[in-house]
Amino acid sequence: MKFNARKASRKWACGGLACGETAMALAGALLLVVGLQTEALASPRSHGAGSRERAGEAQDGARRSARGEIVAPRSVPLPRPRPPEAPAKAHEQATEPKNSTDQEGEKAAEQAAPAPPAPSPCRQALTDEIAIAPSIPDIHGPGGCGGEDLVRLEAVVLPDKRRVSLKPAAILRCTMASAIADWIRTDITALASNLGTSVSELDNFDSFECRGRNRVAAAQLSEHARANALDVRSLNFANGQSIALTDRTVPRELRETVLHTVCARFSTVLGPGSDWYHEDHIHLDLMERRNNYKICQWDVWDPLPRIAPLMPAARPDDAPPRETIADDEQHEGEPTTEADQPAASKSPAKESAGQSIRSAKKRR
């Protein structure tokens, strides 16, 4: 038997393709009846009457669908319970305790993450036996401010375990902090020992600060902005003595001793005499230059006189007599001194008169 779409109207009484809608409605009704019958079989026997009613409704709906009517279901079936083997939901996973498998997975993820960089050789050498200097995160500021391998230098530990505090604590690069600690532990400790005491505190005037040189706008970046400089104002000792490095009243020998120690250790030393920005403190840094060139500009000034002289000093007795205006007018046209006069004009009377005039001027 051959069949095609053109001859469908000859073979079927429903009119060819028009039978599609009727067939679809009939198929939907049959599926609804099968579903209701399955549900009736699955329900307990105590609900047999309700099942028969639903079956009758399904048959009625099937007959109405066969006539081309639209049948709306009177009830919606409830969803089936979640199988026990199904994976847990997201909110349930958050509340449930983690088992050993999850913990192992987290450990594996932590191990796969990149490890933090190893401490630098300077950081390994700057231990708690040398300085109290905890590491701080790197600073990356505008215009190149900041740096890496930074520490907060709070105190320097002396060989006898006593501490020299930095007031306030200084933000420095590890290399600069190590140089400061070595300077205090070696040179300043020896200076304090000669004074019969020990150093106890360093007055920190400035350390890290993002700025140009001498705080001038648009100036070249200062070593303070690179955390590579420290400004020192004074050193305090255990016996109450203090050395203000720019104070003229402090003994010159002490200030010169400090000058020689810092100029031997640091690449830049600026103090009084360098410029008016450093008249009240000493600037130290480790700036790198060609051929390890260093700058040491610190004039150790002598103390100022306590009382300024009000009167001029007395004239020495052997000084020649002063010439006055009256003498010049009187002897105008004549030789000014006796040596310029001719030998024939000299007489004993004039010589005696000249001697008396000179003795009178001396008595004045």
Side-chain angles (χ1 to χ4, degrees):
M1 178 179 179
K2 297 181 179 180
F3 177 79
N4 55 28
R6 294 180 179 180
K7 296 181 180 182
S9 58
R10 302 177 185 177
K11 301 293 182 180
W12 304 94
C14 60
L17 296 176
C19 298
E21 298 178 357
T22 305
M24 291 178 63
L26 182 60
L30 291 176
L31 290 175
L32 182 61
V33 171
V34 172
L36 292 175
Q37 289 179 353
T38 305
E39 184 179 358
L41 294 175
S43 61
R45 295 183 178 180
S46 58
H47 299 84
S51 300
R52 287 193 296 273
E53 289 179 359
R54 288 194 293 272
E57 292 176 357
Q59 292 177 1
D60 185 25
R63 287 192 297 270
R64 293 173 63 184
S65 300
R67 292 195 299 268
E69 297 179 3
I70 299 176
V71 180
R74 295 185 179 181
S75 61
V76 179
L78 297 175
R80 297 180 181 181
R82 189 177 183 83
E85 63 273 7
K89 297 180 181 179
H91 68 277
E92 295 178 356
Q93 292 178 357
T95 57
E96 291 181 356
K98 297 181 180 180
N99 52 23
S100 59
T101 305
D102 296 339
Q103 293 178 356
E104 292 177 358
E106 291 181 357
K107 291 181 180 179
E110 292 177 357
Q111 294 177 357
S120 65
C122 175
R123 177 69 270 188
Q124 294 178 359
L126 194 63
T127 61
D128 293 340
E129 297 180 356
I130 297 176
I132 307 302
S135 297
I136 62 174
D138 299 342
I139 299 177
H140 299 285
C145 283
E148 300 177 352
D149 196 18
L150 304 179
V151 301
R152 185 175 65 253
L153 183 60
E154 301 175 358
V156 176
V157 181
L158 300 179
D160 58 1
K161 305 303 180 182
R162 284 182 292 185
R163 295 184 178 183
V164 180
S165 302
L166 272 76
K167 299 292 183 69
I171 304 300
L172 300 170
R173 296 193 180 194
C174 180
T175 52
M176 184 63 184
S178 180
I180 294 293
D182 193 23
W183 172 56
I184 294 176
R185 286 167 57 89
T186 305
D187 300 330
I188 303 303
T189 300
L191 175 64
S193 179
N194 294 334
L195 297 175
T197 182
S198 61
V199 61
S200 61
E201 185 179 308
L202 182 144
D203 184 6
N204 169 27
F205 188 62
D206 192 18
S207 57
F208 170 72
E209 184 179 357
C210 188
R211 60 175 175 83
R213 291 183 178 179
N214 299 325
R215 294 184 174 86
V216 177
Q220 188 175 355
L221 201 65
S222 171
E223 290 301 303
H224 285 282
R226 298 186 175 95
N228 197 34
L230 181 70
D231 288 346
V232 182
R233 188 150 46 185
S234 64
L235 298 169
N236 301 326
F237 299 92
N239 62 355
Q241 186 178 359
S242 177
I243 297 179
L245 302 181
T246 60
D247 188 1
R248 291 171 177 253
T249 62
V250 174
R252 183 185 181 92
E253 295 179 359
L254 293 179
R255 291 179 287 149
E256 287 182 344
T257 301
V258 178
L259 167 65
H260 296 156
T261 60
V262 293
C263 288
R265 289 184 175 274
F266 300 94
S267 59
T268 307
V269 178
L270 301 176
S274 60
D275 52 44
W276 68 273
Y277 296 101
H278 301 91
E279 293 297 319
D280 59 349
H281 66 276
I282 305 301
H283 170 92
L284 310 174
D285 70 44
L286 290 178
M287 182 179 181
E288 296 181 358
R289 301 184 182 89
R290 294 181 180 179
N291 301 323
N292 295 326
Y293 179 74
K294 294 184 177 182
I295 295 177
C296 182
Q297 297 179 357
W298 175 7
D299 294 336
V300 180
W301 303 117
D302 291 325
L304 294 173
R306 294 184 179 181
I307 300 176
L310 300 179
M311 299 297 292
R315 185 176 179 84
D317 294 338
D318 54 349
R322 295 190 179 96
E323 295 180 0
T324 61
I325 298 176
D327 295 339
D328 293 340
E329 292 178 353
Q330 183 179 0
H331 300 287
E332 186 176 358
E334 299 180 0
T336 56
T337 62
E338 296 178 357
D340 296 333
Q341 295 178 0
S345 63
K346 292 183 180 181
S347 62
K350 290 184 178 181
E351 289 181 1
S352 60
Q355 291 177 359
S356 62
I357 292 173
R358 285 196 294 271
S359 60
K361 288 182 177 179
K362 288 183 179 180
R363 286 195 297 270
R364 291 178 185 175

